[in-house]
Amino acid sequence: MAGYGATSRQRQRINAVLFLGPACVLLFFFFIAPVIVDIFVAFTDMGRTLRITELTTANFERMFTRDRRLAQTLVVTFMYVLATLAVFNVTFGLLLALVTTAVPERVGGFFRSVWLLPRMSPSVIYALLWAWAIDPNERGLLNQILINTVGIGPIDLMNDHPLLLIVVANGFIGASMGMIIFTSAIRAIPEHLFHAARVDGAGGLAIVRHITLPAIRWPLSFITVYQTLSLLVSFEYIWLITDGGPFYDTTVYALYVYKRAFESGQYAYGAALALMLVLLGIGLALLMWRFFDMKRLLQTPRIEVH
Amino acid sequence: MARIELRKIRKQWGEVVAVEDLDLVIEDGEFVAILGPSGCGKSTTLFMLAGIYMPTAGELLFDGIPVNEVEAKDRNVGIVFQSYALYPHLDVRRNIMFPLKFKGVPKAEAARRAVEAARLVHVEELLDRMPSQLSGGQQQRVALARALVKEPQLLLLDEPLSNLDATLRLSMRTEIKRLQRHTGVTTVLVTHDQIEATTMADRIVCMRKGRIEQIGTPEDLYERPDSLFVASFIGAPPINLLPGEARDGRLAVGGTELELLGAAAGRVILGIRPEALRPGEGGLPATVLDVEPMGRETLFLLETPLGQLRALLSGATAPYGAGDRTAFTFDPEDSILFSESSERRLPDVHVRLPA
Ligand SMILES: Nc1ncnc2c1ncn2[C@@H]1O[C@H](COP(=O)(O)OP(=O)(O)O)[C@@H](O)[C@H]1O
Ligand SMILES: [Mg+2]
């Protein structure tokens, strides 16, 4: 019996290493190690030459007292995240889900696929399409449409409304994730609840308000938190379409970090900025976690089937 | 309250015809049960009455007014779904108040009426609970309260008892009947359970494969079933059915012949209810094959010259044991004959045991 127990314990240990090992290794190299390196570099004076001459808090001093651009970057980030989230990733995603589940399935499926296309196309191609669409002279797609149908234009979106441009460009992609999650959540609502509500006198909007929205409360919270964090740290489309410009008008925080570190070669300062972004993200996540009461989501199954 | 009329109602999805040629009049204040096996179109019919489904063809009238195009929300019907369909995020009070929200009832009055409705179905002490904290029977009562609170002109019940245990089913049966009497609301109950239908309803609509097989009082369906289907669907234990051949005033069944009363010829099916058989001198010689005590009654499986028969006798203790030889008889009026080809009853045709 004792011998059996020993081998069983051994086996358990081997299993733990086998099953958890790869994930732990990945976690370490791609998440924990970079953070440690980042923290270390943030307290150095590493520049383009990659040489470290002293340990210092100068980077943080600069960040909080001298970097005037940083404040503007934070404002841009706030407006960008809030607008994209409020207009597209949550609201428009929800609207798409509501509409495409209300119409016949074939039509709904078609429209959902259309909205998935930008997500599936490579970022560079998507960015190129935008560049072509908003071309400031008369040949641009947007200007052709404006001139021929509305009779105004040509307009130069890139220079006149750059923030609007990056919000829309990101929103067209971001809406699809919410759309998919919300669609499946709406599908999971037992049909008899809709029937009951109709018999009880509820019209279309009342049903959305009293049946659909309460039933998808958790996916809604989840998408809001998830998309906030993901918008906060990603900048590839902005980088590709406007490169943060004109001037610094569309430089969000994450892009600013990238520019400082890799375009200006101020690695140490970039690291310090990145560290703040991580802390900002964690703080925001905790705040929203609290606000949406996500703990309850993880405690018990939230999709109630009757 | 309303008088409901269905004229040649039909519902189909693509090629699937769920309900066909439905003609039915439900009188004001009547309690009608739609009875039939699963998949015969009962719920579809009910959902058309509620306005959840629109009929493909035919006409639906409430008090003589066509309502085909009237949406569910404007029909003022109350419905209890098989799954109760309580709103999971609302407590019992808000569930019951929900229909009043859309009728412009002031909040205070709505709250008062909700309590009243809750009291009617004895859930007033559950008003602050969430649906997930209720048992099946309690959820069902709340669903009833929600259906009744708006004082509907028509109450629809879709298999309301099928998710309850046997004891609860019995008490809810009485309860629903009491509520219907009390409110006087025109009621349609859908069920696949013949006992539910016969004990609760004034009239029963028996359906099969989307069509009405027979409409009548429970007695009509039991004593004068129009078809073989109704005869075998109504009654527990089920009716004895024996194939035979009618010729020259006699009916050949199994290895013997019976005297035919009335005109019939060709292949027929003889039906005798287990309750109609009783021990009798000079009757059919019978050997008891099996005895099943059923509480106050006892079921006997008999081998007779007609074939195997089930007989139900009152009394908890069996007068016979397996292997006993005895004789059974029945009244001619209790025998029912059906044409084998059309499966319809042959009216006024009976059989009598030869003297
Ligand atoms: N929404 C629907 N789409 C297609 N077929 C349906 C739908 N609802 C019911 N049916 C079909 O109609 C028939 C009758 O269904 P139903 O009225 O639910 O039967 P019951 O309530 O008597 O068990 C069944 O064959 C069922 O498959
Ligand atoms: Mg059904």
Side-chain angles (χ1 to χ4, degrees):
Chain A
M1 249 0 249
Y4 175 80
T7 50
S8 153
R9 218 172 303 135
Q10 227 166 4
R11 159 83 11 132
Q12 268 185 8
R13 212 169 300 148
I14 292 170
N15 280 348
V17 171
L18 270 178
F19 285 96
L20 292 178
C24 288
V25 169
L26 284 178
L27 195 68
F28 180 79
F29 278 105
F30 289 99
F31 290 95
I32 298 173
V35 170
I36 294 172
V37 170
D38 184 84
I39 293 174
F40 174 72
V41 173
F43 287 95
T44 67
D45 62 347
M46 187 194 277
R48 204 180 288 284
T49 54
L50 297 184
R51 210 175 308 120
I52 296 170
T53 55
E54 58 167 347
L55 292 177
T56 168
T57 55
N59 294 318
F60 294 96
E61 231 170 86
R62 175 178 167 191
M63 215 157 76
F64 290 118
T65 56
R66 278 180 288 127
D67 194 337
R68 259 175 291 130
R69 196 132 288 144
L70 190 60
Q72 187 201 354
T73 306
L74 283 171
V75 172
V76 170
T77 308
F78 178 76
M79 297 203 321
Y80 160 73
V81 171
L82 192 71
T84 313
L85 200 67
V87 178
F88 286 99
N89 292 14
V90 175
T91 311
F92 195 60
L94 180 62
L95 214 61
L96 278 173
L98 286 173
V99 171
T100 58
T101 48
V103 298
E105 178 46 29
R106 210 176 300 168
V107 182
F110 172 75
F111 277 105
R112 275 198 298 277
S113 317
V114 169
W115 280 98
L116 263 179
L117 277 178
R119 166 81 72 191
M120 291 187 294
S121 52
S123 337
V124 178
I125 293 185
Y126 180 71
L128 277 175
L129 283 174
W130 268 101
W132 171 61
I134 58 155
D135 195 298
N137 69 38
E138 291 87 15
R139 286 193 312 276
L141 177 68
L142 179 69
N143 280 333
Q144 282 192 35
I145 293 174
L146 283 180
I147 291 166
N148 291 326
T149 62
V150 192
I152 54 163
I155 60 164
D156 184 356
L157 212 55
M158 177 87 89
N159 272 309
D160 299 341
H161 306 285
L163 198 58
L164 177 72
L165 172 63
I166 62 164
V167 166
V168 173
N170 268 279
F172 275 19
I173 293 182
S176 62
M177 166 133 179
M179 173 186 78
I180 287 173
I181 303 270
F182 298 147
T183 297
S184 69
I186 291 172
R187 287 258 173 73
I189 304 173
E191 189 162 37
H192 54 230
L193 287 184
F194 295 116
H195 290 166
R198 279 171 60 196
V199 173
D200 282 345
L205 284 179
I207 288 177
V208 169
R209 177 163 158 322
H210 294 292
I211 307 297
T212 314
L213 288 185
I216 64 169
R217 198 201 132 179
W218 299 107
L220 213 54
S221 312
F222 166 74
I223 284 291
T224 307
V225 174
Y226 180 89
Q227 295 277 4
T228 304
L229 297 179
S230 100
L231 282 172
L232 204 59
V233 298
S234 71
F235 58 86
E236 61 182 293
Y237 294 102
I238 304 175
W239 185 57
L240 286 167
I241 295 172
T242 67
D243 192 19
F247 199 50
Y248 277 87
D249 284 0
T250 56
T251 301
V252 294
Y253 194 103
L255 181 57
Y256 185 62
V257 174
Y258 172 82
K259 290 191 158 201
R260 277 283 165 271
F262 298 103
E263 285 178 8
S264 318
Q266 302 164 0
Y267 291 122
Y269 189 50
L273 287 170
L275 190 60
M276 284 311 292
L277 183 59
V278 171
L279 294 179
L280 199 71
I282 292 175
L284 212 57
L286 288 177
L287 209 68
M288 296 177 92
W289 188 271
R290 253 310 195 19
F291 179 75
F292 288 119
D293 200 8
M294 296 283 271
K295 210 157 76 187
R296 264 180 58 208
L297 168 65
L298 295 185
Q299 272 166 358
T300 49
R302 278 292 121 190
I303 293 179
E304 293 173 38
V305 179
H306 291 284
Chain B
M1 309 305 125
R3 177 178 188 272
I4 312 296
E5 198 172 341
L6 296 90
R7 291 188 191 150
K8 294 263 173 291
I9 289 286
R10 171 192 179 86
K11 178 70 192 177
Q12 69 183 81
W13 283 278
E15 295 293 293
V16 183
V17 178
V19 169
E20 203 168 8
D21 257 350
L22 216 67
D23 278 304
L24 176 64
V25 175
I26 302 166
E27 294 301 334
D28 193 352
E30 203 181 8
F31 194 146
V32 165
I34 299 181
L35 174 68
S38 157
C40 72
K42 307 182 296 290
S43 297
T44 305
T45 306
L46 205 72
F47 283 12
M48 283 192 285
L49 289 174
I52 295 168
Y53 295 162
M54 295 297 162
T56 314
E59 217 179 350
L60 182 60
L61 302 116
F62 283 15
D63 284 330
I65 300 160
V67 294
N68 283 46
E69 305 296 320
V70 179
E71 283 184 59
K73 69 185 174 72
D74 302 319
R75 284 203 191 176
N76 195 26
V77 300
I79 182 165
V80 175
F81 293 88
Q82 187 166 6
S83 50
Y84 315 135
L86 298 180
Y87 307 119
H89 59 283
L90 299 180
D91 62 17
V92 168
R93 187 191 307 274
R94 292 200 177 79
N95 258 285
I96 300 177
M97 281 168 69
F98 191 79
L100 301 179
K101 203 194 282 284
F102 306 102
K103 296 191 105 188
V105 179
K107 259 258 157 70
E109 196 202 327
R112 189 183 53 73
R113 274 169 69 176
V115 174
E116 219 168 77
R119 204 167 282 144
L120 201 62
V121 295
H122 310 300
V123 293
E124 64 267 38
E125 71 285 358
L126 303 176
L127 281 167
D128 297 315
R129 296 247 198 112
M130 296 305 283
S132 56
Q133 298 169 307
L134 302 179
S135 71
Q138 291 169 332
Q139 288 189 37
Q140 212 246 6
R141 284 163 188 273
V142 175
L144 261 170
R146 188 180 64 184
L148 289 170
V149 75
K150 58 180 148 182
E151 290 164 5
Q153 54 175 340
L154 174 63
L155 178 65
L156 305 171
L157 309 166
D158 191 2
E159 314 241 8
L161 308 179
S162 62
N163 288 337
L164 304 181
D165 61 55
T167 1
L168 206 53
R169 207 177 295 179
L170 204 73
S171 64
M172 278 315 289
R173 233 156 61 189
T174 332
E175 189 80 349
I176 290 175
K177 228 160 86 177
R178 175 186 70 82
L179 279 173
Q180 202 270 338
R181 295 266 152 75
H182 176 82
T183 56
V185 61
T186 312
T187 303
V188 180
L189 166 83
V190 154
T191 177
H192 64 267
D193 181 348
Q194 47 126 355
I195 308 219
E196 255 170 60
T198 49
T199 52
M200 292 165 79
D202 303 324
R203 274 196 311 151
I204 296 176
V205 177
C206 190
M207 282 184 70
R208 176 199 195 186
K209 292 183 184 161
R211 290 170 176 276
I212 291 180
E213 223 19 54
Q214 184 172 1
I215 304 175
T217 62
E219 294 76 38
D220 287 338
L221 268 65
Y222 179 81
E223 286 167 9
R224 291 171 294 281
D226 278 348
S227 68
L228 210 51
F229 174 80
V230 177
S232 50
F233 202 77
I234 306 269
I239 190 168
N240 295 297
L241 294 172
L242 306 155
E245 175 107 30
R247 197 187 316 118
D248 306 331
R250 306 195 72 76
L251 179 70
V253 184
T256 186
E257 284 202 333
L258 301 173
E259 193 180 327
L260 201 56
L261 310 173
R267 303 212 49 88
V268 297
I269 309 267
L270 168 64
I272 304 170
R273 299 223 173 257
E275 309 83 289
L277 288 164
R278 54 190 157 72
E281 294 283 308
L284 281 167
T287 309
V288 179
L289 295 178
D290 196 14
V291 181
E292 280 181 35
M294 297 177 57
R296 292 175 52 82
E297 292 160 328
T298 310
L299 183 69
F300 296 91
L301 184 63
L302 311 170
E303 183 67 57
T304 73
L306 296 176
Q308 282 193 1
L309 292 177
R310 282 175 300 271
L312 191 68
L313 299 185
S314 59
T317 51
Y320 313 107
D324 284 359
R325 301 173 74 83
T326 174
F328 271 78
T329 181
F330 60 89
D331 290 335
E333 308 85 76
D334 287 337
S335 65
I336 313 171
L337 275 100
F338 302 92
S339 151
E340 194 187 80
S341 51
S342 71
E343 303 197 345
R344 311 300 298 176
R345 182 166 61 95
L346 303 169
D348 301 319
V349 182
H350 300 282
V351 290
R352 183 161 61 197
L353 288 170

